[in-house]
Amino acid sequence: MDSASANSPGRFITLEGGEGAGKSSQIQVVKDYLEARGIDVVVTREPGGTPVGQEIRNLLVSGDKDKWSPLSETLLILADRAAHLERVIRPALADGKYVVCDRFFDSTRAYQGIAGGLGLEVIHNLQQPVLGTTLPDVTLLLDIDPEKGLSRAQERGGDLRFESKTLAYHQTLRQAFLDFAKQEPERMVVIDADRDIEAVSTDIITVLGERLDV
Ligand code: TMP
């Protein structure tokens, strides 16, 4: 698999995981670490990394858990991703920036492909034209027991459409992410997110140093 840096000067880092894994706090740590080394960083997220993507995000994350089927979710997410790649991610990578993205294509594979039951082949065929050769250089998988993650997410509040899917869905999701990491150890690193924020940050910084030579 080609990574972003195969055809652009920037680097592409993604954070993945189930609900309540602490991605948002750790993204800030990644940004501060890279900026302290003089690197230009763009922090972004999916869904919702562009103004139109924010509209799609609102459609996806609110309302009844069964309001969209996994196929409808995928199509909405890919519309978001296409705009995000065209308007934010590829231009930043071409400028030599480091893009740090909260969720990307592994989320679609895990949520819609495995937990949602569409299968990885369907997801691959749908998302390949959107992705082209833009793939992450490094993916940090923040792993946590879904029962703990979901209770963290409930405490945080807000729109909880995905959080209200069954525990079995979230357990399948966790295993899917772990399986991806096993299949692609050169890209994906599993971080135990069931620890205090500082311990998780220390691991992340070590991984970035090793994998990106920064
Ligand atoms: P967030 O709360 O981590 O920002 O993510 C919003 C929700 O979007 C999250 O519950 C998972 C869902 N999602 C998918 O189901 N598939 C995807 O491909 C992406 C990017 C997000």
Side-chain angles (χ1 to χ4, degrees):
M1 240 191 226
D2 276 353
S3 61
S5 58
N7 44 22
S8 67
R11 294 298 190 102
F12 188 18
I13 301 162
T14 56
L15 275 82
E16 296 279 6
E19 309 299 335
K23 288 181 288 91
S24 319
S25 335
Q26 297 301 336
I27 278 216
Q28 198 52 44
V29 171
V30 174
K31 177 176 189 275
D32 292 347
Y33 175 79
L34 294 172
E35 285 182 345
R37 273 143 196 83
I39 294 168
D40 265 344
V41 182
V42 172
V43 171
T44 188
R45 70 170 176 179
E46 289 198 356
T50 61
V52 281
Q54 186 55 49
E55 293 179 37
I56 294 173
R57 181 184 176 90
N58 295 339
L59 294 174
L60 269 166
V61 300
S62 64
D64 184 78
K65 66 176 172 30
D66 297 321
K67 131 177 148 175
W68 303 108
S69 70
L71 181 59
S72 302
E73 287 172 4
T74 305
L75 297 171
L76 285 165
I77 285 159
L78 292 182
D80 166 80
R81 183 160 302 139
H84 194 209
L85 280 160
E86 287 158 11
R87 296 171 191 177
V88 176
I89 298 176
R90 289 197 191 107
L93 292 171
D95 266 1
K97 294 179 179 150
Y98 278 44
V99 175
V100 183
C101 190
D102 186 343
R103 298 195 183 282
F104 192 62
F105 81 136
D106 292 302
S107 277
T108 319
R109 297 166 73 218
Y111 278 81
Q112 283 68 43
I114 304 291
L118 283 181
L120 290 180
E121 198 183 336
V122 170
I123 299 297
H124 174 81
N125 291 338
L126 289 172
Q127 80 170 340
Q128 191 46 47
V130 174
L131 296 173
T133 57
T134 312
L135 295 168
D137 294 290
V138 178
T139 298
L140 302 163
L141 170 59
L142 271 59
D143 176 60
I144 190 164
D145 180 321
E147 284 189 74
K148 288 187 187 162
L150 286 169
S151 83
R152 280 190 193 173
Q154 302 285 357
E155 275 167 33
R156 197 179 53 213
D159 287 316
L160 295 169
R161 182 174 161 260
F162 281 93
E163 289 80 350
S164 59
K165 292 185 189 258
T166 63
L167 182 59
Y169 177 97
H170 290 282
Q171 280 162 340
T172 305
L173 181 67
R174 179 192 198 186
Q175 193 54 51
F177 277 124
L178 290 171
D179 289 345
F180 299 161
K182 249 193 213 141
Q183 287 153 15
E184 280 190 76
E186 69 294 344
R187 175 175 68 86
M188 284 184 93
V189 184
V190 183
I191 309 276
D192 175 4
D194 187 13
R195 294 173 298 156
D196 61 58
I197 290 187
E198 290 73 26
V200 177
S201 306
T202 304
D203 274 11
I204 287 180
I205 285 168
T206 306
V207 169
L208 292 178
E210 286 168 4
R211 302 277 172 138
L212 294 174
D213 211 16
V214 287

